[in-house]
Amino acid sequence: MKKDKKVTLEIMDTTLRDGEQMQNVSYTPEEKLTISKILLTEVKVDRLEVTSARVSAGEKEAVRKMLDWAKEAQLVDRFEILSFVDKNQSIDWAKSVGVKRVNLLTKGSYKHCTEQLRKTPEQHAQDIQATINYAAENEIEVNVYLEDFSNGIKTSPDYVYYLIDFLLTLPVKRIMLPDTLGVFNPWETYEYVSAVVNRYPEVHFDFHPHNDYGLGTANAMAAAKAGVRGIHATVNGMGERAGNAPLDEVVVTIKDFLAVHFNINEKKLHKVSQYVEMFSGQRLANNKPIYGKNVFTQTAGIHADGDKKGNLYGNKLAPERFGRKRKYALGKLSGKANLEMSLKELAIELSDEEKKILLQKIIELGDKKEVVTTEDLPYLISDIFETPANVPFKLLHCSINSTYELKSIAAIQCAYQGQVLDAYAHGNGGYDAFMNALQELLKKFNIPVPQLVDYVVTIPPGGKTDALVQAAISWEVENNGQKITLTTRGVNSDQNMAAIEATVKMINLIISRT
């Protein structure tokens, strides 16, 4: 890596093993299979670490499902599991599910060896040898983790080098250097990893960063610069404590700042992030780099103006690179350029005077801490300029009845193009019943039915049971032959009514685009 020639680094994704150690996270076998398929066939990571040996019967079922698919797809060699220095137990478990490669967890610091295992380095080495030899007899490849390497190389380097020297006498494919407690900084990572790599230039070393100080990505980049051949990461930075280095940040950062190539399809990073967020139930901050919902949204008017006049505020992190789009926020910091960009997206034309009045209203709402989205503009324009044609679809009446242990019932009445129609439906909850009834009417009115992809309900911090509720619903809709995601919001003291307001907004938005 110290030379200027371009190299290819492996990515081992450990979302389904180390990432599942995050508190309150557990995946079903079907979810694990879905994530593994996306990571291998779409994102195209090089390797997957999918579980730890001997965990549970449920985990065994999940791994078998993944390996059954992998055999058909001829991808068995991409799957790895964490195993332990237990001679035959982990290896037998790996054989029983069809895994061909294990990542053996050994002690990478003298302190862990002598105080946790209560063994001498020589005794630990003998146990490692017995386990690796048994794996070789059973035709299973072995990579080796040096657990607590970051502390070990700083406090007991002689022990670390003794262990590596010993491992090199055995059939080991890779040696993996974990910053188990996330205690490295980038300068230390480069210094210590360089020392190891330079001492053993022919060995394939991986680096496994944790994010306790928020330095996981920076340390991964330092390790790549020091010459490792592989980096470990998890989707969305999932993992124990503060998590692991996030896959998207690791790939994009190292690629952009170092002469490094990955086999990763960047356009699929967003998709796998969404699936992991959905399956794990762990929502990420909107300002998370690469994947966060806000990271390609310009808020300040001067930035939107610069983009309009020549992409003056652009960088390598173009949203199109990741299959996303630039957005322009509307609020008290907005300028004329923000508004014009949003109107252009909606194909709405206004006079200069109308734009001035509309922008002033947006700024006033921003001062009141109200959110205005691009999707809200048609309704805001309608309110200001009294153009009821912008809201052709109207919900006239809605009644929802929810009963304990029985399905909810919704009765609605809607008007469109001079027609007034009623519909009744059941559902698993009030909003589901409403949507079932609404879909019946939309088909009769020949209006496309939007696909709900996300639903977030919030109340103000400290809010009581009578607090206003905001429902923000994301929808997938067709736009000029392409599928795009739009978000509408509703505010009401009743959660169902807030969601219904957001839904009616989306219906009118769809009509305005057709």
Side-chain angles (χ1 to χ4, degrees):
M1 184 62 57
K2 296 175 184 178
K3 298 178 181 179
D4 289 333
K5 70 176 182 177
K6 204 161 194 174
V7 299
T8 299
L9 280 189
E10 285 185 352
I11 286 288
M12 188 193 83
D13 182 275
T14 183
T15 303
L16 299 177
R17 198 279 297 176
D18 216 3
E20 200 177 18
Q21 291 179 193
M22 189 170 187
Q23 185 178 5
N24 298 324
V25 172
S26 180
Y27 303 108
T28 67
E30 292 74 22
E31 288 170 345
K32 280 201 163 192
L33 177 59
T34 297
I35 294 171
S36 64
K37 284 182 177 180
I38 297 172
L39 283 168
L40 285 175
T41 65
E42 298 188 51
V43 180
K44 298 189 182 299
V45 299
D46 299 283
R47 297 149 50 205
L48 281 186
E49 188 178 50
V50 294
T51 193
S52 300
R54 301 159 34 207
V55 173
S56 67
E59 197 69 358
K60 204 167 194 176
E61 178 193 351
V63 179
R64 279 179 174 153
K65 276 182 178 288
M66 288 185 281
L67 267 294
D68 286 344
W69 166 77
K71 288 171 186 174
E72 293 181 8
Q74 298 185 327
L75 293 172
V76 172
D77 63 331
R78 305 288 189 89
F79 282 81
E80 301 171 9
I81 65 169
L82 182 74
S83 67
F84 307 98
V85 181
D86 54 17
K87 190 175 179 180
N88 65 320
Q89 294 181 62
S90 292
I91 303 304
D92 288 343
W93 195 94
K95 280 184 63 179
S96 72
V97 296
V99 169
K100 297 296 184 181
R101 184 184 297 147
V102 298
N103 298 330
L104 184 64
L105 189 68
T106 70
K107 296 304 182 182
S109 69
Y110 182 78
K111 186 175 184 180
H112 271 220
C113 177
T114 57
E115 295 187 21
Q116 188 173 35
L117 295 183
R118 300 192 180 281
K119 292 189 175 184
T120 66
E122 292 75 18
Q123 289 171 327
H124 187 37
Q126 289 173 5
D127 292 340
I128 292 169
Q129 183 174 21
T131 301
I132 293 178
N133 286 344
Y134 186 76
E137 291 168 9
N138 287 275
E139 299 182 337
I140 290 180
E141 288 183 350
V142 179
N143 302 322
V144 176
Y145 273 116
L146 303 185
E147 186 185 16
D148 200 37
F149 163 79
S150 46
N151 279 316
I153 196 66
K154 288 194 283 187
T155 62
S156 52
D158 290 343
Y159 167 82
V160 173
Y161 291 130
Y162 162 78
L163 193 56
I164 293 176
D165 288 339
F166 181 78
L167 290 172
L168 295 181
T169 67
L170 304 172
V172 170
K173 191 171 184 68
R174 299 174 183 84
I175 296 178
M176 308 192 291
L177 311 176
D179 183 14
T180 305
L181 299 176
V183 295
F184 264 163
N185 64 47
W187 295 274
E188 290 177 324
T189 302
Y190 181 77
E191 176 188 351
Y192 290 114
V193 173
S194 290
V196 173
V197 169
N198 290 338
R199 183 162 175 156
Y200 306 98
E202 302 304 317
V203 176
H204 180 121
F205 288 104
D206 281 0
F207 183 68
H208 180 101
H210 279 257
N211 205 35
D212 294 71
Y213 281 94
L215 294 172
T217 299
N219 286 337
M221 184 166 67
K225 187 174 178 62
V228 297
R229 300 186 192 179
I231 300 288
H232 299 182
T234 63
V235 177
N236 298 346
M238 302 290 286
E240 196 172 19
R241 305 186 311 276
N244 295 36
L247 173 64
D248 51 358
E249 295 177 31
V250 165
V251 169
V252 172
T253 300
I254 294 176
K255 180 178 178 180
D256 285 4
F257 290 103
L258 300 175
V260 170
H261 173 72
F262 292 101
N263 295 320
I264 301 295
N265 181 355
E266 293 181 339
K267 289 187 182 296
K268 296 298 183 178
L269 290 170
H270 188 212
K271 177 178 178 177
V272 74
S273 289
Q274 288 179 307
Y275 272 83
V276 169
E277 187 175 35
M278 177 172 60
F279 291 157
S280 69
Q282 301 295 314
R283 292 193 175 274
L284 299 187
N286 288 337
N287 63 343
K288 182 199 171 298
I290 314 301
Y291 165 62
K293 292 179 181 177
N294 291 352
V295 297
F296 297 118
T297 299
Q298 300 281 37
T299 300
I302 189 172
H303 294 161
D305 182 65
D307 284 349
K308 180 183 175 184
K309 292 176 178 176
N311 197 29
L312 301 181
Y313 292 91
N315 58 23
K316 289 182 179 180
L317 299 175
E320 294 78 14
R321 174 177 170 184
F322 309 105
R324 301 182 65 185
K325 287 180 63 177
R326 178 80 64 204
K327 290 184 175 289
Y328 296 89
L330 299 166
K332 64 182 180 180
L333 299 179
S334 300
K336 182 180 177 182
N338 292 63
L339 178 58
E340 288 181 342
M341 293 285 200
S342 296
L343 290 172
K344 182 179 179 181
E345 182 180 341
L346 295 173
I348 294 175
E349 294 185 8
L350 296 177
S351 67
D352 288 343
E353 184 60 28
E354 287 172 330
K355 290 177 186 175
K356 184 177 179 181
I357 295 170
L358 179 58
L359 181 59
Q360 184 57 43
K361 181 65 175 178
I362 290 168
I363 293 171
E364 290 173 7
L365 290 171
D367 280 333
K368 296 176 183 177
K369 301 186 77 171
E370 293 190 33
V371 177
V372 179
T373 69
T374 298
E375 293 79 22
D376 290 327
L377 282 180
Y379 311 99
L380 198 54
I381 292 169
S382 175
D383 289 341
I384 296 172
F385 303 115
E386 297 181 345
T387 53
N390 280 329
V391 283
F393 181 86
K394 294 181 175 64
L395 176 67
L396 301 179
H397 299 289
C398 176
S399 174
I400 295 175
N401 182 20
S402 294
T403 306
Y404 181 65
E405 292 191 342
L406 293 175
K407 284 184 175 291
S408 298
I409 304 172
I412 67 172
Q413 185 179 74
C414 299
Y416 178 62
Q417 292 184 338
Q419 282 187 288
V420 177
L421 297 177
D422 298 336
Y424 305 86
H426 294 81
N428 295 318
Y431 181 65
D432 184 50
F434 168 80
M435 285 299 297
N436 290 337
L438 180 65
Q439 288 172 13
E440 181 182 326
L441 291 188
L442 292 179
K443 290 176 183 177
K444 292 179 180 179
F445 287 135
N446 199 28
I447 298 172
V449 178
Q451 179 68 43
L452 190 153
V453 294
D454 199 8
Y455 181 131
V456 179
V457 174
T458 56
I459 65 171
K464 304 292 190 279
T465 56
D466 61 348
L468 284 175
V469 174
Q470 176 179 264
I473 305 181
S474 297
W475 312 85
E476 187 176 79
V477 297
E478 291 283 342
N479 184 59
N480 296 325
Q482 292 186 329
K483 289 184 178 181
I484 63 171
T485 300
L486 298 175
T487 301
T488 52
R489 291 172 172 80
V491 178
N492 197 288
S493 57
D494 182 286
Q495 177 180 325
N496 277 330
M497 293 304 121
I500 288 168
E501 286 181 15
T503 305
V504 173
K505 284 184 179 181
M506 175 51 62
I507 301 307
N508 280 298
L509 184 59
I510 288 173
I511 293 170
S512 72
R513 285 170 168 259
T514 56

